[in-house]
């Protein structure tokens, strides 16, 4: 993670974490895990990442990460691309009466934004590998530093509008095609596609807006801002740090050789508990908007933390042929990373899409002749508490009974926002005092 953030300012760290995580989970395409919703279903590591910043805000760091972390996939694609280019040259040189060469079936996983839908789908269904005796469709990968350009090229031509594929990629949902042209084979398939784009706030507004918010794309996206540094300069670095670059490349090669089901049950439980606490807050706030934005956050926490957790426990893995796999025990540090990522995700969801989500539900209520705005009472009531407080103070500030106050303090303790700071006796009963540790932002 330090190598991924090498040379960056602090405002870029979350974006570097997400970009590197997205690329590394694509390397781990042969790995699966089980979620708390329908645990019988094996899940894949899916990424739909957008890094959003103004022009010249420092988005170019993503290109460095792509250069090293996607290198194994790019190298593997070279054979397939060379084969297809030779085939096309042969097709051009063959006369009308001569036998045409048979189109080779190759694996090409990296696709630029300007890729026709027919080519993309055909390559996706071709990218199948035998993993532990079962066929597995590997992830496609798209990386583009200009989301604005990506949206423009998808307005026309044979690569038009891949939003349907973007939507289905997050859960690897089934799709299909049945066109009459000869290039489109009639077939069904599951969408396996990870994409990383960098772009401006204007491009994001074109991508997700009031008209298409109901599609569900917003909660599938991991949108990370590059906030202003207020004229802060990056450090002057005149040294060429090849060691850092080489470490990224070496880890990329290792992660590209991983397979099997990840033993992350503890992380999944941690994400379940976090979601339950946030859902209780949403209920207290009567916020349908927060309820909507919460529902997919746990997937992001698991997916983006998985590569870093795998690297932390690399010594516990065993090698089977050319692949690394095995069980490992996750710990509190892994929990904290997953919670950090899911907190980032939820905060960014509310930053970018909170107003759209509220309007979406307010419009539904308006249709029923009801219109009301939602307020974050949990935060407002917490801010009214003193730096030190008791359960009784919480009950009075939040206007709830003692049992409800205890549950709220329990959630605050679990989130690390408050801590116990002492005890006192009242009417013969020992009670705890609490103090604030952090500002409540969720």
């Amino acid at each position: 993670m330090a190598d991924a953030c090498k040379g960056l300012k602090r405002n870029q760290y979350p974006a570097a974490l997400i970009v590197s995580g997205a690329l590394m989970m694509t390397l781990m395409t042969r790995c699966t895990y089980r979620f708390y919703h329908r645990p019988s279903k094996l899940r894949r590591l899916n990424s739909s990442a957008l890094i959003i910043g103004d022009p010249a805000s420092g988005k170019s760091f993503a290109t460095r990460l792509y250069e090293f972390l996607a290198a194994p996939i790019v190298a593997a694609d070279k054979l397939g691309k060379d084969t297809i280019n030779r085939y096309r040259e042969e097709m051009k040189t063959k006369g009308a009466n001569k036998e045409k060469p048979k189109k080779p079936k190759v694996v090409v996983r990296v696709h630029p934004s300007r890729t026709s839908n027919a080519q993309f789908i055909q390559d996706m269904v071709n990218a199948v590998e035998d993993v532990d005796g079962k066929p597995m469709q590997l992830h496609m990968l798209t990386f583009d530093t200009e989301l604005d350009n990506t949206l423009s090229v998808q307005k026309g031509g044979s690569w038009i509008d891949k939003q349907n594929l973007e939507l289905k990629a997050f859960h690897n949902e089934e799709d299909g095609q049945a066109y009459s042209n000869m290039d489109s084979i009639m077939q069904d398939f599951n969408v396996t596609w990870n994409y990383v784009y960098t772009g401006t706030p204007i491009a994001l507004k074109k991508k997700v807006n009031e008209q298409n918010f109901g599609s569900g794309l917003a909660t599938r996206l991991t949108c990370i801002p590059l906030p202003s540094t207020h004229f802060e300069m990056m450090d002057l670095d005149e040294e060429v740090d090849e060691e850092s670059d080489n470490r990224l490349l070496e880890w990329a090669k290792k992660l590209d050789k991983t397979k099997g089901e990840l033993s992350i049950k503890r992380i999944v439980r941690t994400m379940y508990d976090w979601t339950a606490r946030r859902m209780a807050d949403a209920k207290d706030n009567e916020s349908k908007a927060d309820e909507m934005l919460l529902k997919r956050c746990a997937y992001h926490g698991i997916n983006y933390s998985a590569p870093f957790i795998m690297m932390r426990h690399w010594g516990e893995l065993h090698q089977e042929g050319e692949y690394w796999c095995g069980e490992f025990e996750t710990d509190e540090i892994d929990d904290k990373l997953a919670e950090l990522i899911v907190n980032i995700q939820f905060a960014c969801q509310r930053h970018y899409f909170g107003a759209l989500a509220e309007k979406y539900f307010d419009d539904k209520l308006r249709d029923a002749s009801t219109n009301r705005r939602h307020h974050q009472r949990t935060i407002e009531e917490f801010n009214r508490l003193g730096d030190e407080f008791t359960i009784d103070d919480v009950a009075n500030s939040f206007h709830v009974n003692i049992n409800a106050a205890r549950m709220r303090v329990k959630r605050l303790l679990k989130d690390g926002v408050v801590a116990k700071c002492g005890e006192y006796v009242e009417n013969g009963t020992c009670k705890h005092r609490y103090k604030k540790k952090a500002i409540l932002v969720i």
Side-chain angles (χ1 to χ4, degrees):
M1 198 179 294
D3 290 323
C5 297
K6 176 72 176 178
L8 302 182
K9 291 180 281 190
R10 291 180 65 87
N11 73 310
Q12 296 169 299
Y13 287 0
L17 167 65
I18 295 303
V19 172
S20 57
L23 295 170
M24 291 189 293
M25 76 172 76
T26 308
L27 294 165
M28 295 170 60
T29 184
R30 300 166 187 86
C31 296
T32 58
Y33 70 95
R34 297 184 189 275
F35 195 62
Y36 56 77
H37 171 60
R38 292 175 61 200
S40 60
K41 177 181 173 63
L42 284 172
R43 308 279 179 168
R44 306 289 293 276
L45 297 172
N46 301 315
S47 167
S48 309
L50 304 184
I51 306 303
I52 304 300
D54 295 322
S57 60
K59 299 187 290 293
S60 60
F61 75 89
T63 303
R64 170 187 176 251
L65 296 177
Y66 174 78
E67 177 184 351
F68 295 107
L69 294 178
I73 305 176
V74 173
D77 278 3
K78 188 176 186 307
L79 176 62
K81 288 181 177 179
D82 290 346
T83 302
I84 287 295
N85 285 333
R86 282 195 302 270
Y87 160 75
R88 289 178 176 173
E89 285 297 320
E90 289 180 22
M91 288 291 290
K92 286 192 292 185
T93 58
K94 291 291 184 182
N97 297 323
K98 292 186 177 181
E99 184 180 351
K100 301 293 185 182
K102 184 178 180 181
K103 185 175 182 179
K105 187 176 181 179
V106 299
V107 174
V108 176
R109 296 173 56 197
V110 178
H111 291 79
S113 299
R114 190 177 279 104
T115 301
S116 75
N117 290 353
Q119 184 67 54
F120 182 87
I121 292 170
Q122 192 57 62
D123 286 343
M124 185 167 60
V125 298
N126 284 348
V128 174
E129 191 174 289
D130 187 278
V131 179
D132 291 332
K134 296 180 180 179
M136 177 176 277
Q137 189 174 293
L138 307 182
H139 279 84
M140 301 290 101
L141 174 64
T142 298
F143 172 79
D144 199 309
T145 57
E146 295 295 338
L147 177 60
D148 308 67
N149 178 63
T150 299
L151 296 174
S152 297
V153 300
Q154 290 186 1
K155 286 182 179 178
S158 57
W159 49 81
I160 190 168
D161 196 4
K162 290 184 173 59
Q163 188 176 97
N164 184 54
L165 295 172
E166 289 174 341
L167 287 168
K168 295 194 173 186
F170 189 78
H171 291 299
N172 308 123
E173 294 172 78
E174 187 175 342
D175 203 346
Q177 64 177 17
Y179 297 118
S180 59
N181 66 75
M182 296 298 292
D183 291 331
S184 297
I185 300 172
M186 189 178 294
Q187 59 195 323
D188 297 320
F189 51 86
N190 291 91
V191 183
T192 47
W193 179 27
N194 288 348
Y195 51 91
V196 181
Y197 300 119
T198 65
T200 64
I202 293 174
L204 179 60
K205 288 181 180 178
K206 293 178 184 176
K207 186 79 174 171
V208 182
N209 49 57
E210 186 178 326
Q211 286 70 40
N212 65 18
F213 183 76
S215 71
L217 180 61
T219 55
R220 290 167 164 87
L221 294 176
T222 307
C223 291
I224 305 297
L226 289 173
S228 171
T229 56
H230 302 293
F231 310 104
E232 175 191 346
M233 291 284 289
M234 66 174 61
D235 294 334
L236 177 63
D237 188 0
E238 297 178 326
E239 297 290 330
V240 178
D241 190 356
E242 292 185 354
E243 290 186 6
S244 177
D245 295 344
N246 289 335
R247 275 193 297 269
L248 288 175
L249 183 56
E250 287 305 309
W251 273 116
K253 292 176 180 177
K254 289 180 178 179
L255 292 175
D256 190 43
K257 297 299 180 183
T258 55
K259 70 170 185 176
E261 184 178 339
L262 301 175
S263 51
I264 54 173
K265 287 184 178 179
R266 172 172 171 156
I267 304 299
V268 174
R269 285 195 296 269
T270 298
M271 292 295 93
Y272 179 86
D273 292 342
W274 179 92
T275 305
R277 298 196 302 274
R278 297 289 73 77
M279 199 63 76
D281 289 340
K283 182 179 180 180
D284 290 341
N285 294 320
E286 298 181 16
S287 175
K288 296 289 290 182
D290 278 0
E291 180 188 22
M292 171 193 275
L293 297 177
L294 270 170
K295 285 186 175 178
R296 290 193 175 101
C297 280
Y299 291 105
H300 299 263
I302 294 169
N303 290 342
Y304 287 98
S305 65
F308 298 100
I309 292 171
M310 176 72 92
M311 288 187 284
R312 280 197 71 230
H313 298 279
W314 192 261
E316 300 172 45
L317 306 184
H318 67 272
Q319 195 166 9
E320 294 180 1
E322 62 176 332
Y323 290 103
W324 289 87
C325 56
E327 296 184 358
F328 49 87
E329 291 293 330
T330 58
D331 55 30
E332 186 178 350
I333 294 176
D334 301 317
D335 290 343
K336 287 182 177 179
L337 174 62
E339 285 202 344
L340 171 64
I341 292 172
V342 81
N343 278 325
I344 291 172
Q345 171 65 12
F346 188 41
C348 292
Q349 285 275 294
R350 292 175 65 185
H351 171 70
Y352 283 120
F353 309 124
L356 287 174
E358 286 194 6
K359 188 176 189 312
Y360 174 82
F361 285 105
D362 283 345
D363 286 348
K364 288 182 66 176
L365 289 170
R366 189 177 295 113
D367 291 341
S369 301
T370 306
N371 184 22
R372 58 195 176 105
R373 303 296 292 175
H374 304 294
H375 303 281
Q376 294 302 318
R377 292 203 306 267
T378 303
I379 296 175
E380 295 169 3
E381 291 161 350
F382 178 82
N383 291 338
R384 284 202 298 269
L385 291 170
D387 289 338
E388 293 190 7
F389 58 89
T390 66
I391 295 288
D392 292 330
D393 294 333
V394 173
N396 293 331
S397 177
F398 286 45
H399 305 291
V400 294
N401 60 39
I402 290 296
N403 287 334
R406 289 195 185 98
M407 291 301 298
R408 296 199 185 201
V409 171
K410 186 177 180 180
R411 296 205 301 269
L412 295 171
L413 284 167
K414 186 73 174 177
D415 288 325
V417 179
V418 303
K420 293 179 182 178
C421 66
E423 297 178 346
Y424 68 100
V425 176
E426 184 178 276
N427 297 328
T429 302
C430 183
K431 298 184 177 181
H432 292 288
R433 295 190 64 82
Y434 304 87
K435 65 178 181 180
K436 294 180 179 178
K437 291 176 60 180
I439 299 172
L440 186 63
V441 295
I442 293 177

